[in-house]
Amino acid sequence: MVKVLIVDDSLFARKILTDILNSDKDIEVVGVAKNGKEALEKIPILKPDLVTLDVVMPIMDGIVTLERIVDKYDIPVIMVSDLTQEGATLTLEALDKGAIDFIPKPKNIFSLNSETIKTQIIDKIKISAQCNIYVKPVIKEPKSIPERAALTGQASKDSFDYIIAIGSSTGGPKALQQVLPLIPKNINGSIVVVQHMPPKFTKSLAQRLNEISSINIKEGEEGEVLKRGHCYIAPGDFHMEVVKRGSEYVIRLNKDSPIKGLRPSVDVLMDSVARLDSIRKIGVILTGMGSDGSKGIVSIKQSNGFTIAQDEKTSVIFGMPKSAINTNHVDKVVPLDEIAYEITRKVEVL
């Protein structure tokens, strides 16, 4: 039984979330709180296994409350965020500060009652309650990446020989912060990423990652031509593919049906990369729940690509990496702090 404390200043939100979670026989809502101060008073009494935490609240907001929970308790926290640009920015800050995941709160709160969303919330609660909350940011020095690893001596400013496709979900925003900033700006490749997030959130994520990285990181756009030393993150609610147009590689976005309930899908992106001719490929699976990317990893490997998965010890949720590894098509399983090294080392061997 997963015991949950719901923290939200909206009476309707508290009621709807309580009803959704209590509908599952393995979850019990042990209490509710209307602000952070009240939540901190109830945690030592109710001893929840997990806390859902509204981002914007009076008296004590979600960010301050989260910091205090992380500092004092080993309890997974899932943020509940409005689907606004401000909500996205605050949610990403919360993920940086230790939240495990988030639940989007639509403008019409009653739409949370749809069966699909109910199932997603319940699954997220169950899996997050068992996550590896002891994963801490990497503080040791990463392996040295030789300068020559990023160079071929032949490539022009925008040409490249590799496309690196990365997939991540729960724990992914923080994991990407420990991979992409370590990629050298003159790497002989272009990077495409699927991180499971709604619209606005992916744009905020790209902006935050771009600020701390030497490569250029942005949200991918329809018809955009891939460039060397650039990274493109699939926009929320769109599948992203890469297709060849003449000598160029171009982003294509679509709203085809979700795959395994997901749009964007890692499998869709990696399958499209695997189909490309005259380019070398690397597929990377980072932390996340579910099995998205396992089919794509097989496609990348079968197209003579190189494949990498994050190890269990450094994964917040080992679902996606484990599913990829179980295909027997992963070349290297490494800790998070070695993934950038492995990518760049492979690009060196041309």
Side-chain angles (χ1 to χ4, degrees), residues 123 138 156 197 292 303:
D123 289 346
V138 176
S156 68
M197 278 184 158
D292 190 22
S303 67

Side-chain angles (χ1 to χ4, degrees), residues 97 108 148 197 209 259 321:
K97 293 179 182 295
N108 178 6
R148 70 180 187 281
M197 278 184 158
L209 289 169
I259 308 296

Side-chain angles (χ1 to χ4, degrees), residues 7-11 14 33-39 53-65 105:
V7 187
D8 200 300
D9 67 330
S10 165
L11 174 62
R14 295 197 300 270
K34 59 182 178 291
N35 57 61
K37 181 176 181 295
E38 188 176 316
L53 185 58
D54 191 14
V55 174
V56 180
M57 297 180 292
I59 302 177
M60 184 183 292
D61 67 25
I63 301 296
V64 174
T65 308
K105 184 194 292 184

